[in-house]
Amino acid sequence: MSGGQAQLLTTLFMAAAAVGYPSRRSATDLDATPRMTVTFDELSGVRRFNAHTLNYSTLLLEDDRGILYVGARGAIFALNSSDVADGSHHTIHWEASPEKQMDCLQKGKNNKTECFNHVRFLQRLNSTHLYACGTYAFHPLCAAIDANRFMLPSHFEEGKEKCPYDPARGYTGLIVDGGLYTATRYEFRSLPDIRRNLHQRPLKTEESPLHWLNDAEFVTSVLVRESKDSPVGDDDKIYYFFMERAGEETTSFFDKSQVARVARVARVCKSDVGGKKILQRKWTSFMKARLVCYIPYYEVLRSVCSLDGGGWASTVFYATFTLSAQWRTMEASAVCRYNISAVQRAFEGPYMEYQDWARKWSRYDGAVPEPRPGSCITDHSRKKGYNSSQDLPNSVLDFVKLHPLMFEEVKPAGGEPLLVKKNVVYSQLAVDRVQALDGRSYDVLFMGTGDGWIHKAVVVDSGIHIVEEVQVFRDLQPVESLVISHIQRSLYVGAASGIVQVPLASCARYASCYDCILARDPYCAWDG
């Protein structure tokens, strides 16, 4: 970063405080230098897997079975999670047919990147089968795969309601109690949508008179089992994290004529079955709120992961953000932590309403019908005769249609980022909780970069200490997926060129007690 760019960032730190984004951080915090650097040639204990394909980006770890499933371009692999390089892997070849590839080319798509079957979804369906979906050269298909036989079935399912056509499109999916919850832009000209398919009642978001989603690009989704031990008989919820165009007024240092894109968190209730007459086959529990990390130029949400301390009420979300598109000559990333209580407060707060005359969203201060619109069915609702979303009164459903956006923002714990670091793009994030020798539990973050490095960091109070940076790929490429195995004490890294298995800790690198203590790695202790 040049001196002029650094000075500009410092100026914007001060300006941000002036517009209501206070920070205790100085410009020197942007350096956040890792304690140790390990280059590609210095790596040890690392195992690698690749075959004659690309884009090893969809990972499913079954730790108890000792299997790492990998969805790639035209193939699905079953790897030995204890050693991905031992040669014992099994392969399903799932290429797009020549006819579909030709059709894809005739539609003007790229025969080097797009006209293939990119496996975008891979999860456990039940005790015997996996469920996978691929783009199949812009003709999405899905398949239930017998996990023991590990071969494609004779019958495929239409995938256009479950998987994006475009391999580059933002996408997230979960299988929850037999239901497939996905979010993406499914077809060529379709609007982005959050849908539920498979064995439960199909649902989607509303498009009229208001679009609940505004050119959304989805990042991830998280199941939180809020029904467990709930004193109010609450429902499980699925949280969605995404970027979209902002309809409300935003604070920006940039051209006011440009439509700002902001980070959002939305949620739906698992037991939602839609309305009876209004919002038929549509979510009645959809709500969304703005997710803020720092001052407005950190707007691009890149990755989110969750962690709980044994109960859903202790759930925290870690998220990485990068600079918005206006900063074409600079790279910087921020990491923020959110408590689920902060997310709940936003969804329990005031709503926003679209003002046609002003063409913008503003706070709604009018009457709110009962039961509270967007909420799940609870014991309180059941006592009043509302046993499912189809029992909800029309006034509630009409309100839901017009008020999907909440007024309150979801702010990070402590009111500011844990880390702001220049000259890096954090593309992926995974988190582990470790009990150290001092008896305390520490959250350890593994942050994949846009050029193939892993930054390992420990959360200490309200900040982050970067223990080490490790170059896991020789060739520059973004880290596309990260999965942690507690049994194997390994981190699996997925990227375009292959899979890398990295030890969670390499304590032997510390040559002295002094080095070990200064590293502050909770996985390691000095016994000499």
Side-chain angles (χ1 to χ4, degrees):
M1 179 181 291
S2 68
Q5 290 174 334
Q7 184 179 6
L8 181 57
L9 267 184
T10 304
T11 302
L12 286 171
F13 271 85
M14 297 170 63
V19 297
Y21 291 85
S23 176
R24 297 184 295 274
R25 301 192 183 281
S26 68
T28 57
D29 289 334
L30 289 167
D31 288 316
T33 305
R35 176 70 186 168
M36 178 178 291
T37 298
V38 182
T39 65
F40 183 87
D41 292 328
E42 296 171 319
L43 285 173
S44 61
V46 171
R47 299 176 176 89
R48 300 179 182 278
F49 172 82
N50 59 66
H52 300 293
T53 189
L54 295 171
N55 300 347
Y56 302 76
S57 56
T58 303
L59 305 186
L60 171 64
L61 175 65
E62 297 196 338
D63 225 358
D64 54 341
R65 290 183 168 94
I67 302 173
L68 176 69
Y69 294 103
V70 180
R73 195 180 81 175
I76 301 173
F77 304 99
L79 308 182
N80 178 2
S81 62
S82 64
D83 184 353
V84 299
D86 71 355
S88 66
H89 64 276
H90 299 279
T91 305
I92 291 176
H93 296 285
W94 192 14
E95 299 279 3
S97 67
E99 295 79 13
K100 295 301 183 187
Q101 287 184 313
M102 181 59 67
D103 187 40
C104 178
L105 287 173
Q106 291 173 350
K107 291 176 179 176
K109 301 305 175 183
N110 191 315
N111 66 347
K112 300 293 185 183
T113 58
E114 296 178 315
C115 295
F116 297 91
N117 184 30
H118 296 266
V119 177
R120 299 295 307 275
F121 184 85
L122 180 59
Q123 288 203 8
R124 172 66 61 170
L125 177 62
N126 52 41
S127 61
T128 59
H129 284 74
L130 306 172
Y131 197 76
C133 297
T135 59
Y136 210 75
F138 277 68
H139 293 80
L141 290 179
C142 297
I145 298 170
D146 187 313
N148 290 326
R149 297 173 62 198
F150 202 64
M151 58 186 298
L152 288 174
S154 57
H155 171 72
F156 294 93
E157 299 177 13
E158 178 64 58
K160 66 180 183 180
E161 295 284 327
K162 306 166 186 175
C163 180
Y165 283 58
D166 188 342
R169 178 64 62 185
Y171 173 69
T172 181
L174 292 171
I175 290 180
V176 179
D177 300 338
L180 173 61
Y181 296 76
T182 59
T184 190
R185 189 189 301 269
Y186 294 88
E187 302 175 33
F188 289 120
R189 295 179 180 86
S190 70
L191 294 169
D193 200 1
I194 294 173
R195 298 181 180 177
R196 184 175 69 197
N197 285 290
L198 286 184
H199 307 303
Q200 295 182 338
R201 181 184 294 266
L203 292 178
K204 58 173 62 178
T205 48
E206 180 61 286
E207 298 176 1
S208 176
L210 288 173
H211 299 312
W212 287 354
L213 296 164
N214 191 0
D215 192 26
E217 280 288 323
F218 292 93
V219 174
T220 197
S221 49
V222 178
L223 168 67
V224 180
R225 295 282 190 184
E226 296 183 38
S227 66
K228 187 176 181 181
D229 300 324
S230 171
V232 297
D234 206 350
D235 193 9
D236 296 334
K237 300 180 182 71
I238 296 92
Y239 291 86
Y240 294 88
F241 295 86
F242 57 98
M243 296 287 302
E244 72 169 354
R245 277 192 275 177
E248 70 272 33
E249 289 185 344
T250 60
T251 305
S252 177
F253 296 107
F254 300 108
D255 185 355
K256 298 295 184 182
S257 66
Q258 294 189 9
V259 178
R261 292 186 67 83
V262 298
R264 301 278 197 212
V265 55
R267 59 133 236 233
V268 296
C269 303
K270 187 189 73 176
S271 298
D272 195 337
V273 292
K276 192 169 186 178
K277 294 183 178 179
I278 300 171
L279 292 179
Q280 287 184 351
R281 297 185 179 274
K282 304 289 178 65
W283 299 105
T284 67
S285 56
F286 177 88
M287 307 171 82
K288 66 180 181 180
R290 186 174 177 190
L291 190 72
V292 295
C293 180
Y294 199 35
I295 53 184
Y297 49 83
Y298 283 98
E299 294 286 11
V300 182
L301 179 65
R302 300 298 297 264
S303 182
V304 180
C305 60
S306 65
L307 192 66
D308 69 71
W312 69 263
S314 64
T315 299
V316 294
F317 303 103
Y318 286 93
T320 61
F321 293 77
T322 54
L323 290 170
S324 51
Q326 291 91 337
W327 295 86
R328 294 181 179 88
T329 61
M330 298 172 60
E331 287 186 346
S333 294
V335 179
C336 275
R337 175 178 58 193
Y338 305 89
N339 297 320
I340 196 169
S341 57
V343 180
Q344 289 178 322
R345 277 195 302 273
F347 290 137
E348 292 167 359
Y351 301 86
M352 296 190 81
E353 184 174 69
Y354 187 73
Q355 305 289 341
D356 284 317
W357 61 272
R359 294 188 176 181
K360 68 177 184 180
W361 291 81
S362 58
R363 177 171 173 152
Y364 173 78
D365 291 314
V368 176
E370 286 287 337
R372 181 177 168 85
S375 60
C376 301
I377 300 296
T378 63
D379 290 341
H380 179 73
S381 308
R382 296 180 190 99
K383 287 179 181 178
K384 294 191 173 184
Y386 307 121
N387 294 304
S388 84
S389 59
Q390 292 202 337
D391 298 327
L392 293 172
N394 291 347
S395 60
V396 169
L397 300 178
D398 281 329
F399 191 95
V400 168
K401 288 179 69 173
L402 299 176
H403 301 86
L405 179 60
M406 309 309 295
F407 176 75
E408 298 290 347
E409 298 174 335
V410 180
K411 296 181 173 63
E416 64 176 359
L418 292 166
L419 173 70
V420 179
K421 182 167 173 58
K422 67 183 181 182
N423 297 332
V424 70
V425 172
Y426 288 135
S427 57
Q428 283 295 326
L429 180 66
V431 61
D432 191 17
R433 183 160 288 167
V434 184
Q435 187 169 21
L437 205 60
D438 63 4
R440 294 177 58 188
S441 290
Y442 294 89
D443 289 354
V444 180
L445 304 182
F446 296 89
M447 299 172 288
T449 73
D451 56 0
W453 289 68
I454 299 295
H455 287 193
K456 175 182 172 181
V458 58
V459 179
V460 182
D461 299 324
S462 60
I464 283 180
H465 167 72
I466 303 180
V467 176
E468 62 184 10
E469 57 179 354
V470 180
Q471 184 186 11
V472 292
F473 297 102
R474 186 185 296 277
D475 298 328
L476 299 182
Q477 57 191 299
V479 172
E480 296 182 357
S481 50
L482 293 172
V483 176
I484 292 172
S485 168
H486 295 108
I487 293 177
Q488 303 300 335
R489 294 180 62 82
S490 292
L491 175 73
Y492 304 99
V493 186
S497 66
I499 297 292
V500 180
Q501 180 181 357
V502 184
L504 293 180
S506 296
C507 303
R509 290 195 186 115
Y510 307 126
S512 68
C513 180
Y514 181 77
D515 287 340
C516 184
I517 291 172
L518 287 181
R520 302 173 80 175
D521 187 337
Y523 291 106
C524 300
W526 190 260
D527 63 358

